[in-house]
Amino acid sequence: MVLPDGPALSPLQRRLRTWKLIFRPLQTIEERYSQYGDIFRTNTNSEIPFIYFCNPKAIQQIFTADPGTFSSGGGNGALQYLVGRNSLLLQKGDRHKRQRKLLMPPFHGDRMRTYGDLIYNITSDVIDRWQIDKPFPIRRSTQEISLKVILGTVFGLDRGERYEQLRILLSDVLDSISSPLSSTFLFFSFLRKDWGAWSPWGRFLRKRQKVDDLIFAEIETAREEANHRDDILSLLLEARDEVGDRISDEEIKDELLTLLFAGHETTASALAWALYWIDKIPLVREKLLAELATLPTNPDKVAITKLPYLSAVCQETLRLYPIVTNAFPRVVQKPVEIMGYQLEPGMVVLPSIYLTHQREDIYPEPKKFKPERFLERQFSPYEYLPFGGGSRRCIGSAFALFEMKLVLATILSKCELKLVSHKSIQPVRRGLTMAPPGNMPMVVKQTFAVSK
């Protein structure tokens, strides 16, 4: 059997490598890439090898393989503590296909247009509270924007006691795993011990249970107000699968959790990165402002999201530091050959988003922020994959980009936002994602009077 090269590690070395991957994930996989090339395994002498791929041809073979070749969902066990066992992210086969089909409509087509004013108004409200010359951590604001947007689109909520409780609790849950150290219990089962409300895991579980209770209460309210709502929750309550069955409340709750956690945390980080680069490289900001100046007064929100340079800035932001470093793990179900390597059932395949985006042969000067590269050529879904790919591509990708573009355009049109320090920053682990440091400060230097 032919397998890729990789380090031979003892059990202790494998444990130490896992700690290193938690605290210094990008450096760890870059070291492996420089040593072994674009296809390598991380635990050579383990019974279950994990094999990394960042070769576009290999990724294409993985994403387009026959459905029975790989199984996805089961390799994402740590996610169940955030999103519940019924989440789309954890399903396999026909169940995954069914849930994906039910969840797709709210994030595509004409419904996207209805979200434009909501995103603009929420962003404007947050900007209005910024004070000139008073530094603040920008990620806190982008998280507030993205959380309010997702609460508005998913639940139709913008005020009220339950809205405030959900907003605070969701932030608390995510903040409880916001550092490499505090996220370790997602990676090590022996740390997941409930020793009461004062233990880290016990505190996390109790907060999660409160979130569940609030969502169940909102499901019941939505059912009573079915004829007066136009949000994702109301759509899920009315949804039917191919045989006419409704989704259970438990399933709806877990899907809503998935949208709430995945739909705002990732966008918040991407927005913070974009704002960093827009000020870090003044020419980028100049080009964006020039492009926005071509729009008419009170432009259509969808027209804003089609601006080419604005789109390129968002694409380059997600290329350079993708929020998730790997696509969904695929577990081999039947023997398959990928780029000449023989993979057997049980092996785990990891298409590396980050390493693929760092390939010099695809992206010259890959460490530089260069939006122009997306205006000069089109990349295949196996070369550029910030939202994963194949049947596991993020269903909210179109919505995330739509929101990202509108938020950036609104901020640029309303104020001049500057970094407090131009010292370069590096991504840090935030739970299961990568993000800019949470304390990265920015400051408003001036505001502009603009019409809606």
Side-chain angles (χ1 to χ4, degrees):
M1 179 171 58
V2 180
L3 287 174
D5 289 335
L9 303 175
S10 68
L12 176 59
Q13 287 173 318
R14 287 201 297 271
R15 180 61 59 87
L16 292 174
R17 185 213 65 211
T18 301
W19 281 102
K20 186 176 180 181
L21 196 61
I22 292 171
F23 284 87
R24 305 179 74 179
L26 302 187
Q27 181 187 16
T28 302
I29 59 173
E30 283 188 304
E31 288 172 356
R32 293 285 185 264
Y33 174 74
S34 64
Q35 188 173 2
Y36 298 105
D38 55 12
I39 301 175
F40 59 89
R41 49 180 167 158
T42 60
N43 43 355
T44 302
N45 54 339
S46 172
E47 292 182 4
I48 305 177
F50 281 65
I51 303 174
Y52 277 77
F53 291 89
C54 62
N55 182 298
K57 291 182 180 178
I59 291 173
Q60 181 175 9
Q61 288 181 259
I62 294 166
F63 285 172
T64 60
D66 291 338
T69 305
F70 301 106
S71 172
S72 299
N76 302 291
L79 283 171
Q80 70 175 303
Y81 303 108
L82 278 175
V83 298
R85 65 179 182 274
N86 298 295
S87 167
L88 172 72
L89 302 179
L90 300 175
Q91 304 312 309
K92 309 175 188 177
D94 290 340
R95 185 177 174 87
H96 173 262
K97 189 182 299 183
R98 165 187 174 263
Q99 289 181 223
R100 188 177 177 88
K101 186 175 181 180
L102 290 171
L103 286 170
M104 285 286 279
F107 296 103
H108 293 83
D110 291 338
R111 287 202 62 85
M112 294 287 288
R113 187 179 299 272
T114 67
Y115 303 139
D117 286 337
L118 173 72
I119 294 168
Y120 175 88
N121 291 334
I122 288 172
T123 305
S124 298
D125 289 343
V126 171
I127 292 171
D128 288 344
R129 297 200 305 274
W130 292 346
Q131 299 178 39
I132 292 178
D133 290 330
K134 185 175 181 179
F136 63 97
I138 188 61
R139 198 188 184 286
R140 186 179 299 169
S141 288
T142 60
Q143 188 165 348
E144 180 183 358
I145 291 169
S146 61
L147 179 54
K148 287 183 174 180
V149 167
I150 205 70
L151 284 172
T153 55
V154 170
F155 295 113
L157 293 174
D158 62 358
R159 61 179 62 86
E161 182 180 355
R162 193 175 296 155
Y163 166 81
E164 286 300 323
Q165 289 177 318
L166 268 173
R167 186 178 65 80
I168 293 169
L169 270 173
L170 288 169
S171 295
D172 284 350
V173 169
L174 289 170
D175 286 344
S176 70
I177 55 170
S178 63
S179 71
L181 183 61
S182 63
S183 66
T184 51
F185 57 67
L186 295 175
F187 298 90
F188 297 111
S189 58
F190 71 87
L191 294 176
R192 295 194 287 269
K193 303 295 183 183
D194 184 358
W195 289 315
W198 295 105
S199 65
W201 184 242
R203 187 161 56 249
F204 173 85
L205 290 178
R206 283 157 181 78
K207 287 179 180 179
R208 269 284 285 102
Q209 184 58 53
K210 289 180 180 178
V211 172
D212 285 0
D213 294 343
L214 287 169
I215 292 177
F216 278 129
E218 189 59 31
I219 289 173
E220 192 58 39
T221 298
R223 187 172 281 115
E224 294 170 359
E225 300 173 349
N227 296 326
H228 308 285
R229 297 174 64 120
D230 183 26
D231 49 46
I232 292 174
L233 171 53
S234 61
L235 292 176
L236 291 178
L237 287 171
E238 293 300 317
R240 301 282 199 286
D241 61 19
E242 289 87 346
V243 296
D245 292 336
R246 292 180 182 269
I247 314 174
S248 70
D249 283 3
E250 186 72 27
E251 286 179 292
I252 290 176
K253 184 264 296 180
D254 287 352
E255 300 300 7
L256 295 175
L257 273 174
T258 303
L259 298 177
L260 288 170
F261 283 125
H264 98 272
E265 178 76 354
T266 52
T267 305
S269 295
L271 284 167
W273 273 126
L275 292 167
Y276 167 81
W277 289 115
I278 288 169
D279 186 57
K280 182 80 170 175
I281 307 174
L283 184 60
V284 172
R285 184 173 185 275
E286 290 173 17
K287 289 184 175 181
L288 282 172
L289 290 176
E291 186 175 64
L292 289 170
T294 65
L295 293 170
T297 302
N298 192 23
D300 176 67
K301 303 301 187 295
V302 174
I304 294 174
T305 65
K306 293 181 179 179
L307 293 172
Y309 192 72
L310 176 61
S311 297
V313 167
C314 293
Q315 289 171 300
E316 179 70 344
T317 298
L318 294 170
R319 180 202 68 83
L320 187 53
Y321 291 134
I323 307 305
V324 180
T325 57
N326 301 313
F328 277 97
R330 269 79 167 168
V331 180
V332 179
Q333 298 298 298
K334 61 183 181 182
V336 61
E337 180 179 313
I338 303 291
M339 296 289 290
Y341 295 108
Q342 305 295 325
L343 308 185
E344 297 296 326
M347 294 180 179
V348 180
V349 167
L350 286 165
S352 176
I353 299 171
Y354 176 75
L355 290 178
T356 303
H357 288 183
Q358 292 293 315
R359 288 181 65 106
E360 183 86 30
D361 57 337
I362 303 174
Y363 303 100
E365 300 182 292
K367 299 294 184 186
K368 289 189 176 182
F369 186 83
K370 299 170 63 176
E372 290 75 16
R373 67 176 93 238
F374 286 92
L375 302 176
E376 295 164 357
R377 63 161 287 193
Q378 186 172 352
F379 299 94
S380 80
Y382 318 112
E383 297 171 320
Y384 181 70
L385 52 152
F387 297 101
S391 64
R392 290 281 165 172
R393 190 175 192 274
C394 173
I395 63 168
S397 58
F399 178 79
L401 285 170
F402 183 84
E403 178 184 354
M404 194 175 172
K405 294 172 190 177
L406 273 186
V407 172
L408 292 176
T410 304
I411 291 174
L412 285 165
S413 67
K414 284 180 168 287
C415 66
E416 181 183 4
L417 191 61
K418 305 286 293 181
L419 291 162
V420 172
S421 168
H422 271 266
K423 183 179 178 181
S424 295
I425 63 171
Q426 297 297 316
V428 296
R429 178 176 291 284
R430 184 174 169 86
L432 297 172
T433 66
M434 300 301 297
N439 61 353
M440 182 181 79
M442 297 192 78
V443 62
V444 177
K445 301 309 294 184
Q446 62 177 321
T447 58
F448 314 125
V450 294
S451 62
K452 182 177 177 179

PDB file of all heavy atoms in Angstrom, residues 81-109:
ATOM      1  N   TYR A  81     -20.934  19.784  20.578  1.00  0.00           N
ATOM      2  CA  TYR A  81     -21.111  20.500  21.844  1.00  0.00           C
ATOM      3  C   TYR A  81     -21.543  21.945  21.615  1.00  0.00           C
ATOM      4  O   TYR A  81     -22.085  22.582  22.513  1.00  0.00           O
ATOM      5  CB  TYR A  81     -19.812  20.443  22.647  1.00  0.00           C
ATOM      6  CG  TYR A  81     -19.362  19.023  22.895  1.00  0.00           C
ATOM      7  CD1 TYR A  81     -18.261  18.496  22.231  1.00  0.00           C
ATOM      8  CD2 TYR A  81     -20.079  18.201  23.759  1.00  0.00           C
ATOM      9  CE1 TYR A  81     -17.869  17.184  22.435  1.00  0.00           C
ATOM     10  CE2 TYR A  81     -19.700  16.887  23.964  1.00  0.00           C
ATOM     11  CZ  TYR A  81     -18.588  16.379  23.301  1.00  0.00           C
ATOM     12  OH  TYR A  81     -18.219  15.076  23.492  1.00  0.00           O
ATOM     13  N   LEU A  82     -21.307  22.453  20.417  1.00  0.00           N
ATOM     14  CA  LEU A  82     -21.754  23.794  20.076  1.00  0.00           C
ATOM     15  C   LEU A  82     -23.112  23.775  19.397  1.00  0.00           C
ATOM     16  O   LEU A  82     -23.995  24.577  19.711  1.00  0.00           O
ATOM     17  CB  LEU A  82     -20.741  24.484  19.161  1.00  0.00           C
ATOM     18  CG  LEU A  82     -19.523  25.134  19.802  1.00  0.00           C
ATOM     19  CD1 LEU A  82     -18.591  25.658  18.716  1.00  0.00           C
ATOM     20  CD2 LEU A  82     -19.933  26.266  20.725  1.00  0.00           C
ATOM     21  N   VAL A  83     -23.294  22.866  18.438  1.00  0.00           N
ATOM     22  CA  VAL A  83     -24.450  22.959  17.549  1.00  0.00           C
ATOM     23  C   VAL A  83     -25.465  21.828  17.711  1.00  0.00           C
ATOM     24  O   VAL A  83     -26.510  21.852  17.064  1.00  0.00           O
ATOM     25  CB  VAL A  83     -23.985  23.034  16.073  1.00  0.00           C
ATOM     26  CG1 VAL A  83     -23.154  24.276  15.843  1.00  0.00           C
ATOM     27  CG2 VAL A  83     -23.186  21.790  15.670  1.00  0.00           C
ATOM     28  N   GLY A  84     -25.192  20.853  18.549  1.00  0.00           N
ATOM     29  CA  GLY A  84     -26.154  19.769  18.754  1.00  0.00           C
ATOM     30  C   GLY A  84     -25.966  18.631  17.771  1.00  0.00           C
ATOM     31  O   GLY A  84     -25.489  18.815  16.664  1.00  0.00           O
ATOM     32  N   ARG A  85     -26.387  17.442  18.181  1.00  0.00           N
ATOM     33  CA  ARG A  85     -26.115  16.233  17.385  1.00  0.00           C
ATOM     34  C   ARG A  85     -26.937  16.166  16.101  1.00  0.00           C
ATOM     35  O   ARG A  85     -26.627  15.381  15.198  1.00  0.00           O
ATOM     36  CB  ARG A  85     -26.361  14.983  18.230  1.00  0.00           C
ATOM     37  CG  ARG A  85     -27.794  14.766  18.651  1.00  0.00           C
ATOM     38  CD  ARG A  85     -27.953  13.487  19.474  1.00  0.00           C
ATOM     39  NE  ARG A  85     -29.327  13.231  19.846  1.00  0.00           N
ATOM     40  CZ  ARG A  85     -29.909  13.730  20.922  1.00  0.00           C
ATOM     41  NH1 ARG A  85     -29.225  14.535  21.719  1.00  0.00           N
ATOM     42  NH2 ARG A  85     -31.179  13.460  21.199  1.00  0.00           N
ATOM     43  N   ASN A  86     -28.033  16.950  15.992  1.00  0.00           N
ATOM     44  CA  ASN A  86     -28.855  16.928  14.777  1.00  0.00           C
ATOM     45  C   ASN A  86     -28.410  17.953  13.741  1.00  0.00           C
ATOM     46  O   ASN A  86     -29.037  18.083  12.695  1.00  0.00           O
ATOM     47  CB  ASN A  86     -30.325  17.206  15.133  1.00  0.00           C
ATOM     48  CG  ASN A  86     -30.905  16.159  16.041  1.00  0.00           C
ATOM     49  OD1 ASN A  86     -31.039  14.999  15.663  1.00  0.00           O
ATOM     50  ND2 ASN A  86     -31.251  16.554  17.254  1.00  0.00           N
ATOM     51  N   SER A  87     -27.347  18.679  14.019  1.00  0.00           N
ATOM     52  CA  SER A  87     -26.892  19.725  13.106  1.00  0.00           C
ATOM     53  C   SER A  87     -26.539  19.164  11.738  1.00  0.00           C
ATOM     54  O   SER A  87     -26.004  18.051  11.606  1.00  0.00           O
ATOM     55  CB  SER A  87     -25.654  20.416  13.698  1.00  0.00           C
ATOM     56  OG  SER A  87     -25.007  21.213  12.722  1.00  0.00           O
ATOM     57  N   LEU A  88     -26.814  19.942  10.718  1.00  0.00           N
ATOM     58  CA  LEU A  88     -26.422  19.594   9.350  1.00  0.00           C
ATOM     59  C   LEU A  88     -24.939  19.250   9.280  1.00  0.00           C
ATOM     60  O   LEU A  88     -24.534  18.350   8.532  1.00  0.00           O
ATOM     61  CB  LEU A  88     -26.725  20.776   8.424  1.00  0.00           C
ATOM     62  CG  LEU A  88     -26.216  20.689   6.987  1.00  0.00           C
ATOM     63  CD1 LEU A  88     -27.036  19.668   6.204  1.00  0.00           C
ATOM     64  CD2 LEU A  88     -26.287  22.046   6.289  1.00  0.00           C
ATOM     65  N   LEU A  89     -24.116  19.935  10.060  1.00  0.00           N
ATOM     66  CA  LEU A  89     -22.669  19.736  10.003  1.00  0.00           C
ATOM     67  C   LEU A  89     -22.252  18.331  10.411  1.00  0.00           C
ATOM     68  O   LEU A  89     -21.165  17.870  10.047  1.00  0.00           O
ATOM     69  CB  LEU A  89     -21.960  20.745  10.924  1.00  0.00           C
ATOM     70  CG  LEU A  89     -22.207  22.224  10.639  1.00  0.00           C
ATOM     71  CD1 LEU A  89     -21.456  23.077  11.642  1.00  0.00           C
ATOM     72  CD2 LEU A  89     -21.783  22.586   9.221  1.00  0.00           C
ATOM     73  N   LEU A  90     -23.110  17.631  11.158  1.00  0.00           N
ATOM     74  CA  LEU A  90     -22.744  16.327  11.693  1.00  0.00           C
ATOM     75  C   LEU A  90     -23.451  15.164  11.012  1.00  0.00           C
ATOM     76  O   LEU A  90     -23.254  14.013  11.399  1.00  0.00           O
ATOM     77  CB  LEU A  90     -23.043  16.289  13.200  1.00  0.00           C
ATOM     78  CG  LEU A  90     -22.300  17.327  14.039  1.00  0.00           C
ATOM     79  CD1 LEU A  90     -22.767  17.275  15.485  1.00  0.00           C
ATOM     80  CD2 LEU A  90     -20.807  17.106  13.971  1.00  0.00           C
ATOM     81  N   GLN A  91     -24.259  15.466  10.004  1.00  0.00           N
ATOM     82  CA  GLN A  91     -25.035  14.407   9.360  1.00  0.00           C
ATOM     83  C   GLN A  91     -24.278  13.783   8.191  1.00  0.00           C
ATOM     84  O   GLN A  91     -23.401  14.399   7.599  1.00  0.00           O
ATOM     85  CB  GLN A  91     -26.385  14.953   8.889  1.00  0.00           C
ATOM     86  CG  GLN A  91     -27.202  15.598   9.990  1.00  0.00           C
ATOM     87  CD  GLN A  91     -27.284  14.751  11.249  1.00  0.00           C
ATOM     88  OE1 GLN A  91     -27.617  13.566  11.177  1.00  0.00           O
ATOM     89  NE2 GLN A  91     -26.990  15.347  12.387  1.00  0.00           N
ATOM     90  N   LYS A  92     -24.675  12.561   7.857  1.00  0.00           N
ATOM     91  CA  LYS A  92     -24.053  11.833   6.761  1.00  0.00           C
ATOM     92  C   LYS A  92     -25.111  11.398   5.746  1.00  0.00           C
ATOM     93  O   LYS A  92     -26.302  11.349   6.050  1.00  0.00           O
ATOM     94  CB  LYS A  92     -23.350  10.565   7.291  1.00  0.00           C
ATOM     95  CG  LYS A  92     -22.408  10.777   8.449  1.00  0.00           C
ATOM     96  CD  LYS A  92     -21.893   9.427   8.943  1.00  0.00           C
ATOM     97  CE  LYS A  92     -21.096   9.552  10.223  1.00  0.00           C
ATOM     98  NZ  LYS A  92     -20.668   8.235  10.733  1.00  0.00           N
ATOM     99  N   GLY A  93     -24.658  11.063   4.560  1.00  0.00           N
ATOM    100  CA  GLY A  93     -25.490  10.408   3.567  1.00  0.00           C
ATOM    101  C   GLY A  93     -26.809  11.085   3.279  1.00  0.00           C
ATOM    102  O   GLY A  93     -26.903  12.298   3.104  1.00  0.00           O
ATOM    103  N   ASP A  94     -27.874  10.270   3.233  1.00  0.00           N
ATOM    104  CA  ASP A  94     -29.198  10.768   2.854  1.00  0.00           C
ATOM    105  C   ASP A  94     -29.730  11.797   3.858  1.00  0.00           C
ATOM    106  O   ASP A  94     -30.427  12.743   3.479  1.00  0.00           O
ATOM    107  CB  ASP A  94     -30.191   9.601   2.745  1.00  0.00           C
ATOM    108  CG  ASP A  94     -29.899   8.721   1.535  1.00  0.00           C
ATOM    109  OD1 ASP A  94     -29.208   9.191   0.607  1.00  0.00           O
ATOM    110  OD2 ASP A  94     -30.353   7.558   1.533  1.00  0.00           O
ATOM    111  N   ARG A  95     -29.417  11.597   5.127  1.00  0.00           N
ATOM    112  CA  ARG A  95     -29.899  12.551   6.141  1.00  0.00           C
ATOM    113  C   ARG A  95     -29.267  13.924   5.915  1.00  0.00           C
ATOM    114  O   ARG A  95     -29.948  14.953   6.025  1.00  0.00           O
ATOM    115  CB  ARG A  95     -29.571  12.035   7.539  1.00  0.00           C
ATOM    116  CG  ARG A  95     -30.137  12.902   8.654  1.00  0.00           C
ATOM    117  CD  ARG A  95     -29.833  12.279  10.011  1.00  0.00           C
ATOM    118  NE  ARG A  95     -30.225  13.150  11.111  1.00  0.00           N
ATOM    119  CZ  ARG A  95     -31.425  13.193  11.654  1.00  0.00           C
ATOM    120  NH1 ARG A  95     -32.386  12.400  11.184  1.00  0.00           N
ATOM    121  NH2 ARG A  95     -31.690  14.009  12.658  1.00  0.00           N
ATOM    122  N   HIS A  96     -27.992  13.942   5.586  1.00  0.00           N
ATOM    123  CA  HIS A  96     -27.322  15.212   5.288  1.00  0.00           C
ATOM    124  C   HIS A  96     -27.938  15.867   4.058  1.00  0.00           C
ATOM    125  O   HIS A  96     -28.202  17.075   4.037  1.00  0.00           O
ATOM    126  CB  HIS A  96     -25.831  14.980   5.066  1.00  0.00           C
ATOM    127  CG  HIS A  96     -25.096  16.191   4.585  1.00  0.00           C
ATOM    128  ND1 HIS A  96     -24.798  16.406   3.254  1.00  0.00           N
ATOM    129  CD2 HIS A  96     -24.632  17.286   5.254  1.00  0.00           C
ATOM    130  CE1 HIS A  96     -24.166  17.556   3.129  1.00  0.00           C
ATOM    131  NE2 HIS A  96     -24.045  18.104   4.308  1.00  0.00           N
ATOM    132  N   LYS A  97     -28.198  15.067   3.024  1.00  0.00           N
ATOM    133  CA  LYS A  97     -28.785  15.592   1.787  1.00  0.00           C
ATOM    134  C   LYS A  97     -30.175  16.180   2.058  1.00  0.00           C
ATOM    135  O   LYS A  97     -30.516  17.244   1.548  1.00  0.00           O
ATOM    136  CB  LYS A  97     -28.881  14.473   0.747  1.00  0.00           C
ATOM    137  CG  LYS A  97     -29.268  14.936  -0.643  1.00  0.00           C
ATOM    138  CD  LYS A  97     -29.395  13.753  -1.599  1.00  0.00           C
ATOM    139  CE  LYS A  97     -28.089  13.005  -1.746  1.00  0.00           C
ATOM    140  NZ  LYS A  97     -28.184  11.897  -2.729  1.00  0.00           N
ATOM    141  N   ARG A  98     -30.960  15.491   2.885  1.00  0.00           N
ATOM    142  CA  ARG A  98     -32.313  15.965   3.207  1.00  0.00           C
ATOM    143  C   ARG A  98     -32.260  17.304   3.939  1.00  0.00           C
ATOM    144  O   ARG A  98     -32.957  18.261   3.570  1.00  0.00           O
ATOM    145  CB  ARG A  98     -33.010  14.927   4.083  1.00  0.00           C
ATOM    146  CG  ARG A  98     -34.270  15.416   4.795  1.00  0.00           C
ATOM    147  CD  ARG A  98     -34.779  14.358   5.763  1.00  0.00           C
ATOM    148  NE  ARG A  98     -35.894  14.828   6.561  1.00  0.00           N
ATOM    149  CZ  ARG A  98     -35.787  15.316   7.798  1.00  0.00           C
ATOM    150  NH1 ARG A  98     -34.603  15.426   8.367  1.00  0.00           N
ATOM    151  NH2 ARG A  98     -36.858  15.709   8.472  1.00  0.00           N
ATOM    152  N   GLN A  99     -31.414  17.381   4.964  1.00  0.00           N
ATOM    153  CA  GLN A  99     -31.363  18.609   5.754  1.00  0.00           C
ATOM    154  C   GLN A  99     -30.780  19.767   4.950  1.00  0.00           C
ATOM    155  O   GLN A  99     -31.208  20.903   5.090  1.00  0.00           O
ATOM    156  CB  GLN A  99     -30.560  18.369   7.037  1.00  0.00           C
ATOM    157  CG  GLN A  99     -31.308  17.483   8.013  1.00  0.00           C
ATOM    158  CD  GLN A  99     -30.559  17.245   9.308  1.00  0.00           C
ATOM    159  OE1 GLN A  99     -30.510  16.136   9.809  1.00  0.00           O
ATOM    160  NE2 GLN A  99     -29.965  18.275   9.870  1.00  0.00           N
ATOM    161  N   ARG A 100     -29.805  19.470   4.119  1.00  0.00           N
ATOM    162  CA  ARG A 100     -29.205  20.521   3.302  1.00  0.00           C
ATOM    163  C   ARG A 100     -30.247  21.115   2.353  1.00  0.00           C
ATOM    164  O   ARG A 100     -30.315  22.333   2.181  1.00  0.00           O
ATOM    165  CB  ARG A 100     -28.024  19.948   2.519  1.00  0.00           C
ATOM    166  CG  ARG A 100     -27.209  20.997   1.770  1.00  0.00           C
ATOM    167  CD  ARG A 100     -26.011  20.367   1.085  1.00  0.00           C
ATOM    168  NE  ARG A 100     -25.277  21.366   0.327  1.00  0.00           N
ATOM    169  CZ  ARG A 100     -24.311  22.130   0.811  1.00  0.00           C
ATOM    170  NH1 ARG A 100     -23.938  21.990   2.075  1.00  0.00           N
ATOM    171  NH2 ARG A 100     -23.709  23.032   0.065  1.00  0.00           N
ATOM    172  N   LYS A 101     -31.068  20.266   1.770  1.00  0.00           N
ATOM    173  CA  LYS A 101     -32.090  20.732   0.841  1.00  0.00           C
ATOM    174  C   LYS A 101     -33.113  21.612   1.557  1.00  0.00           C
ATOM    175  O   LYS A 101     -33.590  22.620   1.010  1.00  0.00           O
ATOM    176  CB  LYS A 101     -32.782  19.529   0.191  1.00  0.00           C
ATOM    177  CG  LYS A 101     -33.772  19.901  -0.897  1.00  0.00           C
ATOM    178  CD  LYS A 101     -34.322  18.655  -1.591  1.00  0.00           C
ATOM    179  CE  LYS A 101     -35.283  19.036  -2.696  1.00  0.00           C
ATOM    180  NZ  LYS A 101     -35.831  17.833  -3.386  1.00  0.00           N
ATOM    181  N   LEU A 102     -33.439  21.270   2.795  1.00  0.00           N
ATOM    182  CA  LEU A 102     -34.413  22.046   3.552  1.00  0.00           C
ATOM    183  C   LEU A 102     -33.856  23.407   3.982  1.00  0.00           C
ATOM    184  O   LEU A 102     -34.602  24.382   4.120  1.00  0.00           O
ATOM    185  CB  LEU A 102     -34.845  21.256   4.799  1.00  0.00           C
ATOM    186  CG  LEU A 102     -35.716  20.018   4.546  1.00  0.00           C
ATOM    187  CD1 LEU A 102     -35.870  19.214   5.822  1.00  0.00           C
ATOM    188  CD2 LEU A 102     -37.080  20.406   4.002  1.00  0.00           C
ATOM    189  N   LEU A 103     -32.544  23.482   4.186  1.00  0.00           N
ATOM    190  CA  LEU A 103     -31.942  24.714   4.697  1.00  0.00           C
ATOM    191  C   LEU A 103     -31.451  25.659   3.610  1.00  0.00           C
ATOM    192  O   LEU A 103     -31.151  26.821   3.894  1.00  0.00           O
ATOM    193  CB  LEU A 103     -30.756  24.364   5.611  1.00  0.00           C
ATOM    194  CG  LEU A 103     -31.110  23.805   6.985  1.00  0.00           C
ATOM    195  CD1 LEU A 103     -29.864  23.274   7.676  1.00  0.00           C
ATOM    196  CD2 LEU A 103     -31.771  24.873   7.846  1.00  0.00           C
ATOM    197  N   MET A 104     -31.362  25.207   2.376  1.00  0.00           N
ATOM    198  CA  MET A 104     -30.795  26.027   1.309  1.00  0.00           C
ATOM    199  C   MET A 104     -31.626  27.256   0.935  1.00  0.00           C
ATOM    200  O   MET A 104     -31.081  28.347   0.747  1.00  0.00           O
ATOM    201  CB  MET A 104     -30.568  25.179   0.053  1.00  0.00           C
ATOM    202  CG  MET A 104     -29.386  24.246   0.129  1.00  0.00           C
ATOM    203  SD  MET A 104     -27.820  25.108  -0.020  1.00  0.00           S
ATOM    204  CE  MET A 104     -27.724  25.298  -1.804  1.00  0.00           C
ATOM    205  N   PRO A 105     -32.952  27.165   0.805  1.00  0.00           N
ATOM    206  CA  PRO A 105     -33.730  28.286   0.248  1.00  0.00           C
ATOM    207  C   PRO A 105     -33.524  29.642   0.921  1.00  0.00           C
ATOM    208  O   PRO A 105     -33.445  30.661   0.216  1.00  0.00           O
ATOM    209  CB  PRO A 105     -35.179  27.796   0.395  1.00  0.00           C
ATOM    210  CG  PRO A 105     -35.077  26.309   0.331  1.00  0.00           C
ATOM    211  CD  PRO A 105     -33.808  25.984   1.050  1.00  0.00           C
ATOM    212  N   PRO A 106     -33.428  29.732   2.253  1.00  0.00           N
ATOM    213  CA  PRO A 106     -33.310  31.074   2.851  1.00  0.00           C
ATOM    214  C   PRO A 106     -32.035  31.823   2.483  1.00  0.00           C
ATOM    215  O   PRO A 106     -31.964  33.035   2.683  1.00  0.00           O
ATOM    216  CB  PRO A 106     -33.329  30.773   4.362  1.00  0.00           C
ATOM    217  CG  PRO A 106     -33.956  29.433   4.504  1.00  0.00           C
ATOM    218  CD  PRO A 106     -33.559  28.692   3.281  1.00  0.00           C
ATOM    219  N   PHE A 107     -31.043  31.130   1.952  1.00  0.00           N
ATOM    220  CA  PHE A 107     -29.751  31.766   1.706  1.00  0.00           C
ATOM    221  C   PHE A 107     -29.470  32.040   0.233  1.00  0.00           C
ATOM    222  O   PHE A 107     -28.340  32.345  -0.139  1.00  0.00           O
ATOM    223  CB  PHE A 107     -28.631  30.895   2.292  1.00  0.00           C
ATOM    224  CG  PHE A 107     -28.718  30.769   3.788  1.00  0.00           C
ATOM    225  CD1 PHE A 107     -29.202  29.614   4.372  1.00  0.00           C
ATOM    226  CD2 PHE A 107     -28.350  31.817   4.599  1.00  0.00           C
ATOM    227  CE1 PHE A 107     -29.289  29.511   5.748  1.00  0.00           C
ATOM    228  CE2 PHE A 107     -28.438  31.722   5.978  1.00  0.00           C
ATOM    229  CZ  PHE A 107     -28.909  30.564   6.549  1.00  0.00           C
ATOM    230  N   HIS A 108     -30.473  31.934  -0.588  1.00  0.00           N
ATOM    231  CA  HIS A 108     -30.256  32.140  -2.011  1.00  0.00           C
ATOM    232  C   HIS A 108     -31.443  32.859  -2.652  1.00  0.00           C
ATOM    233  O   HIS A 108     -32.509  32.973  -2.067  1.00  0.00           O
ATOM    234  CB  HIS A 108     -30.028  30.779  -2.709  1.00  0.00           C
ATOM    235  CG  HIS A 108     -28.754  30.117  -2.308  1.00  0.00           C
ATOM    236  ND1 HIS A 108     -28.651  29.372  -1.155  1.00  0.00           N
ATOM    237  CD2 HIS A 108     -27.523  30.096  -2.889  1.00  0.00           C
ATOM    238  CE1 HIS A 108     -27.412  28.915  -1.039  1.00  0.00           C
ATOM    239  NE2 HIS A 108     -26.723  29.336  -2.068  1.00  0.00           N
ATOM    240  N   GLY A 109     -31.218  33.349  -3.851  1.00  0.00           N
ATOM    241  CA  GLY A 109     -32.292  33.924  -4.637  1.00  0.00           C
ATOM    242  C   GLY A 109     -32.823  35.232  -4.092  1.00  0.00           C
ATOM    243  O   GLY A 109     -32.106  36.027  -3.481  1.00  0.00           O
TER     244      GLY A 109
END
